[in-house]
Amino acid sequence: QVQLAESGGGLVQAGGSLRLSCIASGRTSDHLHVGWFRQAPAKEREFVASISNLAYNTDYTDSVKGRFTISRDNAENTVYLQMNSLKSDDTAIYFCVALQLTKPWAQLARGAYDYWGQGTQVTVSS
């Protein structure tokens, strides 16, 4: 069974930066496509970014392009989300999700995933 553990959330002022980490256990991360979703209060969970198992492909929702960068270190079984130029609209709980390698990476952006973490809170003050 795969377990995902997020860390790195916190309170930051608008314009600041945070780096989220997602550590996978139970299976080596190079067998998983990984993504980040977020959910703000009273809003639907939305796709943020994804990265294929060997990092050949990445995808971002339009609102974070140019500000967020997803990357991974498979030797450390860790996926990162570097968030720069944060805005109050980025305030949400951020969830790490993963999809088995046997399934198409692009499914992550459509909300299809096999595993998910407990989430980490990101709060951006204006």
Side-chain angles (χ1 to χ4, degrees):
Q1 181 70 13
V2 173
Q3 293 186 322
L4 304 174
E6 305 95 334
S7 62
L11 174 63
V12 64
Q13 288 188 329
S17 299
L18 284 173
R19 188 177 78 159
L20 305 184
S21 299
C22 172
I23 298 177
S25 60
R27 179 169 291 180
T28 55
S29 64
D30 60 352
H31 285 73
L32 299 169
H33 307 306
V34 179
W36 290 92
F37 278 70
R38 66 186 179 186
Q39 187 165 19
K43 291 188 177 181
E44 296 287 321
R45 187 174 294 192
E46 68 167 342
F47 168 76
V48 177
S50 63
I51 187 167
S52 58
N53 66 313
L54 297 180
Y56 292 155
N57 299 290
T58 59
D59 191 16
Y60 300 89
T61 191
D62 286 345
S63 63
V64 308
K65 285 179 180 177
R67 299 188 299 123
F68 291 10
T69 302
I70 190 169
S71 62
R72 65 191 301 158
D73 182 347
N74 284 340
E76 298 294 328
N77 284 336
T78 303
V79 172
Y80 303 99
L81 185 67
Q82 178 67 43
M83 305 186 297
N84 298 329
S85 302
L86 282 161
K87 306 174 181 179
S88 57
D89 287 348
D90 296 317
T91 295
I93 300 175
Y94 284 71
F95 298 89
C96 177
V97 301
L99 184 69
Q100 295 177 48
L101 175 62
T102 53
K103 300 177 183 179
W105 155 79
Q107 287 187 5
L108 274 172
R110 296 192 290 271
Y113 42 83
D114 298 311
Y115 312 102
W116 57 92
Q118 294 298 309
T120 185
Q121 176 71 48
V122 171
T123 303
V124 183
S125 63
S126 56

